[in-house]
Amino acid sequence: MQTYKFISNNIESTLLIGSDLGQLLQRGDVITLTGDLGAGKTTLTKGIAQGLGINAPVSSPTFTIIKEYQQGHIPLYHFDLYRLGESALDEDLGYEEYLYGDGVCVIEWSQFIAELLPEDCLNITINHRGSEESEREIQFSFKSQRWEPIIKELMNKCGI
Ligand code: ADP
Ligand code: MG
């Protein structure tokens, strides 16, 4: 497992990290987002959507669970499993078709479908940091070598 940390000082910085990452993604990529309510998971997803060329507004799919965006150069499937919690696996939402499909999956509260997740996913954990309300630590961790050049390029792009 390799881990890299980024610091975001404000919403714009989180959106930019997301957008830079979005530009580096390929079909089949799966990204899990971990962090408390209000950590910035949906904000980061908005940035990823921008980077994929999606102009439509992205909001949290808490009630729909999975939202599809087809406007970019790769489809984005945005999951938010918060509302289903431990019962997420009881629902037949076709998770695997998304996870092994033709787009990018970004999954909030992915722990509820942990056993379905591919080994080569990119895990992103967002935590509050410091005394400033808008400061976040964004941690990237992964097992697959696929992500190393991407995260290194992201660090260069973000000037870290
Ligand atoms: P989550 O999806 O993790 O519940 P959201 O992205 O919906 O979180 O909300 C994050 C909240 O925190 C928003 O109100 C956003 O304006 C605020 N915020 C403040 N600073 C940051 C930051 N650096 N990165 C992301 N969000 C931030
Ligand atoms: Mg959210």
Side-chain angles (χ1 to χ4, degrees):
M1 181 82 86
Q2 294 197 64
T3 298
Y4 295 85
K5 284 180 184 169
F6 291 68
I7 301 301
S8 164
N9 290 312
N10 48 49
I11 304 167
E12 291 71 28
S13 165
T14 299
L15 288 170
L16 193 63
I17 292 169
S19 155
D20 285 344
L21 174 62
Q23 290 178 37
L24 298 168
L25 297 177
Q26 291 177 359
R27 292 177 190 274
D29 284 340
V30 176
I31 297 176
T32 64
L33 299 180
T34 304
D36 294 339
L37 279 176
K41 302 181 294 299
T42 301
T43 304
L44 188 72
T45 308
K46 287 179 187 179
I48 292 173
Q50 281 172 18
L52 289 169
I54 295 163
N55 292 318
V58 171
S59 58
S60 193
T62 304
F63 293 99
T64 48
I65 313 299
I66 302 174
K67 270 196 190 168
E68 301 189 24
Y69 299 88
Q70 300 285 354
Q71 301 91 334
H73 62 274
I74 304 175
L76 169 65
Y77 306 121
H78 181 199
F79 296 40
D80 183 345
L81 302 167
Y82 180 73
R83 190 172 65 86
L84 296 181
E86 300 291 347
S87 67
L89 287 173
D90 302 335
E91 301 287 326
D92 184 11
L93 297 177
Y95 299 116
E96 266 130 331
E97 281 175 46
Y98 293 107
L99 293 169
Y100 298 95
D102 60 350
V104 166
C105 290
V106 175
I107 311 175
E108 299 188 42
W109 302 94
S110 64
Q111 63 265 40
F112 297 125
I113 57 164
E115 61 201 78
L116 300 181
L117 298 173
E119 269 268 294
D120 60 356
C121 57
L122 172 66
N123 301 293
I124 305 180
T125 302
I126 310 177
N127 284 305
H128 277 86
R129 179 181 185 276
S131 53
E132 294 293 325
E133 163 51 31
S134 64
E135 205 174 322
R136 303 286 190 277
E137 182 184 273
I138 304 180
Q139 182 180 294
F140 292 73
S141 60
F142 51 88
K143 291 181 191 147
S144 164
Q145 286 309 307
R146 147 133 184 80
W147 293 106
E148 190 174 327
I150 292 177
I151 301 308
K152 289 201 165 143
E153 192 170 341
L154 186 63
M155 292 180 108
N156 288 334
K157 275 190 155 194
C158 297
I160 299 169

